[in-house]
Amino acid sequence: MKKKLILLLSMILMTLLSGCWSRVEVNDIAIVTAIAIDKVEEGKIRMSLQVAIPMALGAAGGGGGSGGGEGEKKTTLLVSEEGETVMDAYRRLQVKLPRRITFAHSRILLIGEKAARSGVSPILDFFSRQRESRMRKWILVTEGDASEILKIKPGLERVSAEVIREEENQPVGLRVNLRDFSDMLLTDGLEPVAPQIRQKPHDVKKKDSESEESSKENMTAAILGAAVFHKDKLVGWMNDKETRGVLWLRDEMKIGVVTINIPEEKGEGKVSAQVLKASTKIIPTLENGRVKIEVDVSADYDIYENASKLDLSDPRLRQSVDVQTATSPIRTREAAVV
């Protein structure tokens, strides 16, 4: 009888625990889609947030874009504020917004050059402690101010942050999220790298007489090259070719194109092949008290384009192309002295 009474009381008490006492309604939150951190005068931090406008995003019709031009629905709001620290700037931003800021849906973290050169540890510290922030968000570095990237009008997507996220999801360039960058920063002997994002024109033939507003509409965000860090400070940049080398060394080359220059005596021209599968092995050895690192890189590829006079139906000529590919920088086996 006593056990039944305890069970009955427990069931009654359980009904008192139900409910949504800690609920937050969707119309009470400001959904951040991307974050940009810059360093400004007097050493202050400027945080810029790209905030989604739910009513515009949920509309069935209307064009995408965040510029809010005539006949174009504004899908995002760009707000920024300065502070002594990242947290200070965040709290000042909250004062300006009628809704509570939430980082749960943010997938992009952009860091400007000045902020990166002064050290990214305070930035990583804030976003690793902020309970709504995800460690899987992509981290990218840009020359100049990071907030300028968020002003680019999207083309195929409704929000410019989605353009950057989709580009990062493509296995073409360097991809580093907040967790990866933090691991590199905390690992002895491993210096962090992060992809570099730039503004590039959609049409490379745009005229010099093009108006400034039209020029902005012609720009897009492109992930080209990489930022190199020493500890937590930016020390330099790598171009697109050097970044591809990093991808090979990290065994992260998924998609690539190899173009071979055919000598004049063999028919001249170019042959392009697409990488199907690649693998990298790093073999350290000790010789006479010196460490040597041998990097063995191999790849399987398909020949897609033959702009030379070679008849690739001839097995002997295909072998000649294979030999040239094997002696190219992508397939070379060399020992680097450290």
Side-chain angles (χ1 to χ4, degrees), residues 3 34 48 163 170 195 200 237 253 271 274 280:
K3 291 182 178 180
S48 302
V163 174
Q170 298 294 327
K200 299 286 287 184
W237 307 94
M253 178 59 72
V271 176
Q274 181 174 344
T280 302

Side-chain angles (χ1 to χ4, degrees), residues 26 29 31 52-59 75 99:
V26 176
I29 60 176
I31 300 174
I53 302 177
M55 293 182 63
L57 290 172
T75 58
R99 300 185 179 190

Side-chain angles (χ1 to χ4, degrees), residues 138 140 163-176 195-196 221-226 239-258 274-275 278 330:
W138 301 114
L140 304 100
V163 174
I164 301 172
R165 190 185 73 85
E166 291 294 342
E167 288 181 0
E168 274 289 77
N169 286 336
Q170 298 294 327
V172 177
L174 187 65
R175 302 189 297 171
V176 178
Q196 180 186 7
I223 300 172
L224 297 170
N239 58 33
D240 195 40
K241 184 177 180 180
E242 293 167 338
T243 304
R244 284 170 62 88
V246 172
L247 291 175
W248 285 105
L249 290 174
R250 289 163 59 99
D251 198 17
E252 294 179 359
M253 178 59 72
K254 304 298 181 183
I255 297 176
V257 175
V258 180
Q274 181 174 344
V275 176
I330 292 179

Side-chain angles (χ1 to χ4, degrees), residues 75-93:
T75 58
T76 59
L77 174 67
L78 183 62
V79 292
S80 62
E81 191 54 79
E82 298 176 5
E84 299 295 333
T85 63
V86 180
M87 183 63 182
D88 186 30
Y90 162 70
R91 295 308 302 174
R92 291 175 183 270
L93 271 170

Side-chain angles (χ1 to χ4, degrees), residues 72-322:
E72 182 179 272
K73 287 192 175 181
K74 191 175 181 181
T75 58
T76 59
L77 174 67
L78 183 62
V79 292
S80 62
E81 191 54 79
E82 298 176 5
E84 299 295 333
T85 63
V86 180
M87 183 63 182
D88 186 30
Y90 162 70
R91 295 308 302 174
R92 291 175 183 270
L93 271 170
Q94 184 61 83
V95 174
K96 296 170 64 173
L97 292 173
R99 300 185 179 190
R100 185 173 70 82
I101 297 173
T102 176
F103 295 109
H105 297 276
S106 174
R107 297 291 186 273
I108 303 296
L109 173 60
L110 305 176
I111 301 177
E113 183 175 0
K114 289 184 180 179
R117 289 192 182 278
S118 64
V120 297
S121 289
I123 302 172
L124 301 181
D125 182 71
F126 173 81
F127 288 104
S128 61
R129 294 176 185 273
Q130 217 281 339
R131 63 187 181 91
E132 292 179 344
S133 178
R134 296 177 182 242
M135 295 296 288
R136 291 183 297 174
K137 64 163 52 71
W138 301 114
I139 180 171
L140 304 100
V141 185
T142 181
E143 293 182 277
D145 291 339
S147 59
E148 292 298 316
I149 301 294
L150 297 183
K151 296 178 182 178
I152 296 176
K153 295 183 179 181
L156 297 176
E157 306 294 341
R158 303 291 300 277
V159 180
S160 59
E162 188 67 12
V163 174
I164 301 172
R165 190 185 73 85
E166 291 294 342
E167 288 181 0
E168 274 289 77
N169 286 336
Q170 298 294 327
V172 177
L174 187 65
R175 302 189 297 171
V176 178
N177 59 34
L178 200 58
R179 185 189 301 275
D180 296 334
F181 194 93
S182 299
D183 289 342
M184 287 186 283
L185 189 61
L186 297 174
T187 303
D188 292 334
L190 184 62
E191 301 296 348
V193 292
Q196 180 186 7
I197 186 167
R198 306 176 187 175
Q199 296 188 54
K200 299 286 287 184
H202 284 289
D203 182 7
V204 295
K205 295 183 179 180
K206 69 185 183 73
K207 300 177 181 179
D208 295 335
S209 59
E210 191 174 20
S211 65
E212 183 179 354
E213 184 64 26
S214 178
S215 177
K216 289 181 179 180
E217 292 181 358
N218 188 50
M219 302 301 288
T220 186
I223 300 172
L224 297 170
V228 183
F229 288 77
H230 175 60
K231 295 184 179 179
D232 72 327
K233 294 184 178 180
L234 174 69
V235 293
W237 307 94
M238 289 190 294
N239 58 33
D240 195 40
K241 184 177 180 180
E242 293 167 338
T243 304
R244 284 170 62 88
V246 172
L247 291 175
W248 285 105
L249 290 174
R250 289 163 59 99
D251 198 17
E252 294 179 359
M253 178 59 72
K254 304 298 181 183
I255 297 176
V257 175
V258 180
T259 299
I260 305 163
N261 292 313
I262 305 300
E264 185 177 354
E265 62 272 13
K266 293 187 178 181
E268 66 180 356
K270 300 179 185 294
V271 176
S272 292
Q274 181 174 344
V275 176
L276 299 178
K277 183 175 64 175
S279 62
T280 302
K281 292 182 180 179
I282 299 179
I283 308 169
T285 57
L286 185 63
E287 296 182 7
N288 300 324
R290 304 184 71 185
V291 177
K292 288 187 176 181
I293 305 295
E294 185 178 85
V295 180
D296 189 357
V297 179
S298 61
D300 296 333
Y301 56 90
D302 272 349
I303 295 177
Y304 262 69
E305 182 179 357
N306 180 17
S308 70
K309 297 179 181 179
L310 290 178
D311 180 10
L312 296 181
S313 62
D314 187 342
R316 292 175 299 177
L317 294 179
R318 282 206 307 269
Q319 184 179 5
S320 174
V321 174
D322 290 341

